[in-house]
Amino acid sequence: MRLWVVRGAVLAVVHAVVAVVVAAVKAGNPTGQSVVEAVSLGVLVGVAAVWAAVDGWRQVPERGTAWVVAALVAGVGSAVLQVIGRGIFVDQTGVSALGGALTGGAAFSALLVLLPAGLGLVVGPRLDPDRPREDEDEPVRAKPSPRPRG
């Protein structure tokens, strides 16, 4: 299976579950959700960053492209799953909320995947100092002199 399918699907489910839990907490206690929102945002960012760092550390081929497409899949997928989850578990959210979720909500979820994944892809290859990185050039060697030594 393609890299982006797994990453996008898993992160879409994670984002949707966290958003539905936060919505349920807000419905039960409208004034006391700031800590829950902060922790949930940290979980979402952390999952993407750590997973991308592991991909960078393992030097998975085409990992940059996979994470860009996974962010888009996670954005759209989590928007749809959030509307469904809120409609079933929290309140009477219906199809009318899908438009807003597919525009602003999907874009925000995609950024919550893409930005930490980019950071993870930069940090991941640097976790193993003994392994040569892909972005390093060959060591500079001295050019032979055109004149004979004498």
Side-chain angles (χ1 to χ4, degrees):
M1 197 178 317
R2 293 241 186 232
L3 294 175
W4 57 268
V5 172
V6 174
R7 285 155 180 76
V10 168
L11 289 171
V13 170
V14 169
H15 281 237
V17 167
V18 168
V20 170
V21 168
V22 168
V25 170
K26 280 184 178 181
N29 185 7
T31 59
Q33 76 276 359
S34 61
V35 173
V36 173
E37 287 180 322
V39 169
S40 65
L41 187 64
V43 166
L44 297 176
V45 168
V47 167
V50 169
W51 198 349
V54 169
D55 280 353
W57 176 65
R58 291 180 42 222
Q59 294 185 349
V60 173
E62 297 182 13
R63 58 190 173 269
T65 305
W67 276 102
V68 168
V69 177
L72 297 174
V73 169
V76 173
S78 69
V80 172
L81 291 174
Q82 284 176 34
V83 170
I84 293 170
R86 286 181 55 196
I88 293 172
F89 299 111
V90 179
D91 53 17
Q92 301 298 320
T93 301
V95 178
S96 62
L98 196 56
L102 284 174
T103 54
F108 183 66
S109 293
L111 282 176
L112 281 180
V113 172
L114 189 60
L115 294 178
L119 179 65
L121 289 175
V122 169
V123 171
R126 288 160 178 75
L127 295 176
D128 190 3
D130 297 333
R131 184 186 303 172
R133 294 190 299 264
E134 293 174 350
D135 58 349
E136 287 183 350
D137 294 330
E138 291 291 322
V140 178
R141 296 181 184 174
K143 288 171 119 180
S145 173
R147 295 183 217 160
R149 294 182 186 163

